[in-house]
Amino acid sequence: MTRRVLHILEFDKVKEKVREKATSTLGKEMVDALTPMISIEEVELAQQETREGSIVLRLKGSVPLGGIRDIRKAIQRSRIGGMLSPQELLDISGVLSAGGRVKQFILQLAEEDESLPILNGLAQSIERLRPLEDEITQSIDDHGEVMDGASSQLRQIRNEIRQTESQVRERLERILRTSSYQKMLQEGIITIRNDRYVLPVKQEYRGSFGGIIHDQSASGATLFIEPEAVVSLNNRLRELFAREQREVEKVLLHLSGQVANHADPLIVNVESLARIDFIFAKAFYGESIKGTQPLLNEKGKIRLKKARHPLLSPETVVPIDVELGDHFTAMVVTGPNTGGKTVSLKTIGLLTLMAMSGLQIPSEEGSEISVFSQIHADIGDEQSIEQSLSTFSSHLTNIIKIIQSMDENSLILLDELGAGTDPSEGAALAIAILDHIIQRGAKVVATTHYSELKAYAYNRKQVINASVEFDVATLSPTYRLLVGVPGRSNAFAIAERLGLNREIIDLAKKQMSQEEMSVEKMIVSLEENRMTAEREREKAEGLRKELENMRNQLEKERQELEKEKNRILTNAEKEAAQAVAKARKEAEEVIAQLRKMALEEQTSIKEHRLIEAKKRLEAALPRFKKEPVHQRKGAEVKNNLLPGDDVMVYSLNQRGQILEEISSDEILVQIGLMKMKVNKADVGPVSTEKKPERNLLATIKGNREHIRPELDIRGDTIEDAIHSIDKYLDDAVISGLNQVSIIHGKGTGALRKGIQEYLKKHPQVKEFRLGVHGEGGSGVTVVKFN
């Protein structure tokens, strides 16, 4: 792409918006170098980068990118033996710290989301280099000063400096307190001149005070004199300062050498951080324009859904839909001036450039962009007074260059094609240019005023008409792009709207040729059909939304009914459990009584006693409405029962064994010590279903499946934390969890200690331990159950 095309389509302005989102000069440099790519593989990789950045922003909202600086020059100087300044070393330490934060941030996300391979690879390439970072931070403070602890020699020298300075001040303060000297002093203060401690002495006492003069005031009334009593101590200080400077240089040279030893991984770190900053700058920009990742192809197909120009206000811009390159090679856009034709043209070109640069585009999901080998544009009035070119000549010169350099995989955007000359000749030339471009296989979008091009697009299979909508009622454009409908001239409608005499308008219409009138009638018909279709579409959309609202309401009601049903079932289960318990107790009493009767009488139980006990047992059982399927089940199996088979007597809820068949409907069944006649329909094979108690436990477990495998108690007191943990461990055991994590944070360690003392005594806890790397470290306790 030529710089001229990038400028015309305002790609540089988009880059400036992206540049604002970068946090470092390195990231900004990469944005400055951003250009559209013509390889679909490179474009797909760039789009994947931006998509990964968008995923991170959606999950986290922000990225810890602070502290990234350009340390490449400092690294290069260290490689050739140069001594780095304290600030340069601090910058290197800051980059190492920033790299560690970014690496940890991305790797943690990559463990949770496998769709971040590019960011994960960049994070993996960052070397922590903790020893180098620690050595720098332990030697240089935040203000860029080499600290005493940088070396033992430096600490010793600075201790001597402080002691000597203390001696100098002590002697000078003694002079200040001496009455004979006080009248000679301009002020009773100690100051420094030329790195030596001095006193301000009045000019007239120059010969009486004694010592070395180092400076005087602007007026000459004050002399700054070093008394003889401190000359030797000041000399000692100068020597110590020189030794200090040499020792500081030794420290800086040592640290610079360490940087040189790690130059290669440092360069990799810088490049990786720059790339990460660049990726998130693209992602932040995509978020700011509500961008989406377009589908990509190499077939010259463009499909834009609700596309918006990214440099126009989202509140005022009118989205457009565009399709090109599938059924149509060319699009001819007509419509009034200031109606939005040029904006539509620029939107198509700019969004294509953005997509080919790895940026997201402001359009709906599912939009598609082709990767073109070239994009050419002739947009706007580029008349050059210096070259004595007319508007027509300027446009034609650009079009000639475009035709000479284009190929079959080019996208060509032409604004006001053929304008600036005789209308009939301009229209003929425009048609010829479009035909030539189409024959070469390139994709073209052209705007024009010529009505001849409307008929041209209508009669060519590879060309489609489009127009920008104009509201005759308000005499203003709507800026909507209507694909498939040519634009009307609207001159007569506007004239009539403004109040021009009807007779004049009718006379003007007679001046138009029959062909022009036919074209205008065709356009009117198409526009009426379009408006009818639009109304129908809006009506259908309204019905769709109404149905959607009804569906949502029904779904809401269904959910409410489901909740009510679950509540009723829960209550029914409780009542049933109570009824079963009561029935079981009654049944046990009845059976015990029957056994006692049998033992007392030493014979078979009398029939009337059996009937009485049976009625009592039946009265004790809870009554539930039986489903028809249960009755059918008994009917189906009754003819298959044989003596010796184990059966369940439904009415007694007891197991028994068939002794003999009495009749076609009755059998004799042994139940414990009791023998009784029962109807065949009242018995069935022994069920192999699980006991109700187990089903109830499964229900309880099912209701607790939402228990999370971790509990966060950071900020709680020990008492509150233990209360929360006690309930949580019970829920976790019932839910079948084997292991859980308790997040208590690091802090002072008091909360962790209190929790672990409690866990030692908990009956369900098998063992516990602190978290390892990746589990939260000492800020997490991992608990396993028995």
Side-chain angles (χ1 to χ4, degrees):
M1 314 307 156
T2 64
R3 293 189 60 83
R4 175 180 164 278
V5 169
L6 298 179
H7 175 71
I8 289 173
L9 295 176
E10 301 178 289
F11 183 68
D12 292 337
K13 293 182 180 179
V14 169
K15 282 174 54 175
E16 188 58 37
K17 298 287 185 182
V18 180
R19 194 178 192 275
E20 294 172 0
K21 305 297 181 182
T23 62
S24 68
T25 56
L26 294 164
K28 293 180 189 298
E29 285 180 6
M30 294 194 72
V31 175
D32 291 339
L34 181 64
T35 55
M37 295 160 280
I38 61 174
S39 166
I40 192 169
E41 290 79 13
E42 292 179 344
V43 176
E44 286 174 342
L45 180 63
Q47 285 287 350
Q48 174 64 17
E49 284 181 348
T50 310
R51 176 180 172 276
E52 291 187 18
S54 298
I55 291 173
V56 173
L57 294 185
R58 188 177 69 250
L59 294 175
K60 295 296 182 180
S62 61
V63 187
L65 293 172
I68 302 174
R69 293 179 175 84
D70 188 358
I71 58 173
R72 291 172 297 183
K73 290 183 179 179
I75 295 171
Q76 294 302 332
R77 282 203 297 109
S78 73
R79 272 179 162 167
I80 60 176
M83 183 181 74
L84 303 183
S85 69
Q87 188 56 53
E88 288 174 320
L89 290 166
L90 277 182
D91 287 346
I92 291 171
S93 172
V95 169
L96 289 173
S97 177
R101 289 194 302 272
V102 172
K103 179 173 185 173
Q104 183 180 11
F105 175 82
I106 292 176
L107 291 184
Q108 285 180 348
L109 275 178
E111 287 181 4
E112 303 169 6
D113 194 327
E114 297 181 356
S115 62
L116 306 172
I118 297 175
L119 286 174
N120 184 50
L122 289 170
Q124 295 282 8
S125 69
I126 297 174
E127 287 196 40
R128 192 65 183 88
L129 302 179
R130 175 76 75 174
L132 176 59
E133 180 189 347
D134 291 344
E135 191 169 4
I136 293 174
T137 54
Q138 290 168 8
S139 301
I140 302 172
D141 64 22
D142 294 339
H143 304 291
E145 298 292 335
V146 177
M147 294 186 289
D148 295 358
S151 73
S152 58
Q153 293 86 351
L154 185 59
R155 178 181 284 108
Q156 180 182 350
I157 292 169
R158 286 183 173 171
N159 285 336
E160 292 183 32
I161 289 174
R162 283 188 282 271
Q163 292 173 4
T164 305
E165 285 180 331
S166 178
Q167 292 174 7
V168 171
R169 286 185 171 277
E170 183 179 347
R171 291 192 182 185
L172 291 175
E173 287 172 356
R174 194 180 304 152
I175 293 174
L176 291 175
R177 291 193 298 270
T178 304
S179 58
S180 59
Y181 285 111
Q182 287 178 353
K183 65 178 180 178
M184 301 180 188
L185 299 174
Q186 193 72 263
E187 292 182 86
I189 61 171
I190 300 170
T191 185
I192 296 175
R193 290 293 187 276
N194 300 325
D195 296 328
R196 300 178 78 88
Y197 286 93
V198 297
L199 296 173
V201 180
K202 296 177 181 178
Q203 171 69 27
E204 57 266 30
Y205 293 105
R206 177 175 183 174
S208 305
F209 193 84
I212 302 170
I213 299 173
H214 287 281
D215 197 4
Q216 68 178 6
S217 65
S219 64
T222 304
L223 301 177
F224 296 94
I225 298 176
E226 178 185 3
E228 293 179 0
V230 296
V231 170
S232 61
L233 289 174
N234 271 335
N235 289 340
R236 173 65 176 159
L237 277 177
R238 294 292 294 271
E239 293 174 5
L240 289 172
F241 285 143
R243 285 176 56 194
E244 178 194 28
Q245 185 60 34
R246 289 194 295 271
E247 190 60 33
V248 166
E249 290 177 357
K250 283 178 62 177
V251 170
L252 295 178
L253 282 171
H254 169 72
L255 293 175
S256 301
Q258 292 296 95
V259 170
N261 293 338
H262 298 88
D264 289 338
L266 280 171
I267 291 293
V268 172
N269 284 7
V270 170
E271 291 174 349
S272 297
L273 288 171
R275 192 79 193 174
I276 291 171
D277 188 21
F278 171 65
I279 289 172
F280 283 110
K282 295 193 295 180
F284 273 116
Y285 177 69
E287 184 181 59
S288 70
I289 61 172
K290 298 180 180 178
T292 61
Q293 180 182 349
L295 303 173
L296 298 172
N297 69 80
E298 293 181 287
K299 301 177 181 179
K301 292 169 56 177
I302 295 177
R303 182 181 293 108
L304 298 176
K305 300 179 179 180
K306 305 296 180 186
R308 309 176 305 277
H309 195 290
L311 300 177
L312 298 179
S313 171
E315 288 76 23
T316 58
V317 66
V318 178
I320 62 172
D321 295 319
V322 178
E323 285 197 32
L324 185 69
D326 194 356
H327 303 291
F328 305 101
T329 303
M331 178 184 293
V332 176
V333 184
T334 52
N337 287 329
T338 70
K341 298 193 302 298
T342 304
V343 171
S344 297
L345 204 62
K346 285 188 173 183
T347 301
I348 296 169
L350 181 55
L351 267 56
T352 302
L353 290 176
M354 290 172 61
M356 292 171 61
S357 302
L359 298 175
Q360 294 182 343
I361 61 174
S363 67
E364 288 189 353
E365 294 282 354
S367 294
E368 188 171 3
I369 293 288
S370 176
V371 178
F372 293 98
S373 61
Q374 301 174 43
I375 296 179
H376 299 287
D378 179 60
I379 299 176
D381 185 1
E382 299 185 14
Q383 180 178 355
S384 173
I385 298 176
E386 296 175 358
Q387 298 178 3
S388 300
L389 294 176
S390 65
T391 300
F392 175 74
S393 300
S394 177
H395 282 300
L396 193 57
T397 300
N398 291 334
I399 292 172
I400 291 170
K401 292 178 181 178
I402 291 172
I403 291 174
Q404 290 173 344
S405 59
M406 72 179 188
D407 59 23
E408 62 181 10
N409 193 30
S410 296
L411 173 63
I412 300 172
L413 307 171
L414 303 175
D415 192 25
E416 298 298 346
L417 181 59
T421 187
D422 178 77
S424 59
E425 293 182 355
L429 189 58
I431 291 172
I433 291 171
L434 289 175
D435 276 339
H436 180 78
I437 293 173
I438 294 170
Q439 289 173 5
R440 293 278 297 274
K443 308 302 178 292
V444 59
V445 181
T447 69
T448 182
H449 280 294
Y450 296 138
S451 59
E452 290 87 345
L453 267 69
K454 302 174 188 177
Y456 164 81
Y458 187 76
N459 293 321
R460 298 291 198 283
K461 290 183 179 180
Q462 291 179 291
V463 187
I464 188 170
N465 267 307
S467 61
V468 287
E469 190 178 50
F470 187 87
D471 189 344
V472 179
T474 61
L475 300 181
S476 61
T478 65
Y479 301 105
R480 294 178 60 198
L481 182 67
L482 308 175
V483 178
V485 180
R488 297 172 56 188
S489 65
N490 295 307
F492 296 149
I494 293 172
E496 185 174 2
R497 180 76 178 171
L498 293 175
L500 186 64
N501 191 295
R502 180 69 188 180
E503 294 180 0
I504 299 175
I505 295 174
D506 292 339
L507 184 61
K509 287 182 177 180
K510 292 178 181 179
Q511 305 302 316
M512 295 180 65
S513 67
Q514 188 63 36
E515 184 178 346
E516 289 172 331
M517 290 298 295
S518 298
V519 169
E520 190 67 18
K521 289 179 180 178
M522 175 196 71
I523 294 172
V524 172
S525 176
L526 286 172
E527 189 161 352
E528 288 176 352
N529 291 337
R530 181 195 64 78
M531 292 178 70
T532 301
E534 185 72 14
R535 286 193 296 268
E536 292 296 326
R537 187 196 67 79
E538 290 175 356
K539 184 178 179 182
E541 181 67 16
L543 289 172
R544 187 194 66 79
K545 289 181 179 179
E546 185 178 346
L547 289 173
E548 183 71 16
N549 291 334
M550 291 175 62
R551 189 188 70 81
N552 292 337
Q553 182 63 29
L554 288 173
E555 177 63 19
K556 184 178 179 181
E557 292 176 1
R558 188 195 66 78
Q559 291 177 0
E560 292 296 329
L561 288 172
E562 191 70 24
K563 289 179 182 178
E564 181 66 15
K565 184 185 78 171
N566 290 338
R567 186 187 66 78
I568 294 171
L569 287 176
T570 300
N571 292 336
E573 286 176 356
K574 291 179 181 178
E575 293 174 2
Q578 294 171 355
V580 167
K582 180 180 178 182
R584 183 180 290 115
K585 182 178 179 181
E586 292 287 340
E588 289 172 354
E589 291 177 0
V590 170
I591 293 171
Q593 184 177 355
L594 290 173
R595 287 174 177 168
K596 182 179 178 181
M597 292 166 57
L599 290 173
E600 287 176 353
E601 298 184 11
Q602 294 293 319
T603 182
S604 61
I605 302 173
K606 299 297 183 180
E607 185 69 20
H608 71 280
R609 291 190 177 185
L610 180 61
I611 293 171
E612 182 182 347
K614 183 177 178 181
K615 287 182 178 179
R616 183 182 171 192
L617 186 60
E618 289 177 349
L621 287 173
R623 296 298 178 183
F624 298 100
K625 183 179 179 180
K626 295 182 180 180
E627 296 292 336
V629 65
H630 294 161
Q631 297 172 358
R632 290 195 300 270
K633 180 178 178 181
E636 290 171 358
V637 301
K638 67 179 182 179
N639 295 326
N640 298 326
L641 298 175
L642 299 172
D645 288 349
D646 290 331
V647 293
M648 173 64 71
V649 180
Y650 297 133
S651 60
L652 300 178
N653 196 27
Q654 294 290 322
R655 292 180 57 171
Q657 188 178 54
I658 297 176
L659 297 178
E660 61 179 288
E661 183 175 2
I662 297 175
S663 66
S664 60
D665 294 323
E666 289 186 321
I667 54 176
L668 184 64
V669 178
Q670 176 85 41
I671 302 175
L673 298 175
M674 181 175 63
K675 298 178 182 178
M676 63 174 59
K677 298 178 183 178
V678 296
N679 194 292
K680 287 184 178 181
D682 193 31
V683 299
V686 176
S687 173
T688 57
E689 295 179 357
K690 293 183 180 179
K691 294 182 180 180
E693 289 78 6
R694 292 190 179 181
N695 289 337
L696 183 58
L697 179 59
T699 302
I700 294 173
K701 290 178 68 177
N703 290 338
R704 297 182 179 267
E705 286 179 353
H706 65 279
I707 298 300
R708 295 176 58 84
E710 71 276 342
L711 174 66
D712 191 342
I713 57 167
R714 287 177 291 185
D716 289 359
T717 63
I718 294 177
E719 291 75 12
D720 292 341
I722 290 175
H723 178 75
S724 300
I725 292 171
D726 186 57
K727 182 178 184 306
Y728 173 70
L729 293 181
D730 289 344
D731 291 344
V733 170
I734 292 174
S735 298
L737 296 179
N738 297 320
Q739 175 179 303
V740 296
S741 297
I742 300 175
I743 305 170
H744 44 66
K746 299 178 181 178
T748 62
L751 184 59
R752 177 180 68 244
K753 184 177 178 181
I755 291 167
Q756 294 184 351
E757 287 296 326
Y758 167 74
L759 292 175
K760 289 178 182 178
K761 304 173 185 177
H762 198 286
Q764 296 293 347
V765 175
K766 178 181 180 182
E767 60 182 43
F768 61 88
R769 59 175 174 80
L770 289 177
V772 298
H773 178 69
E775 293 179 328
S778 61
V780 172
T781 295
V782 180
V783 181
K784 292 186 177 180
F785 300 120
N786 292 318

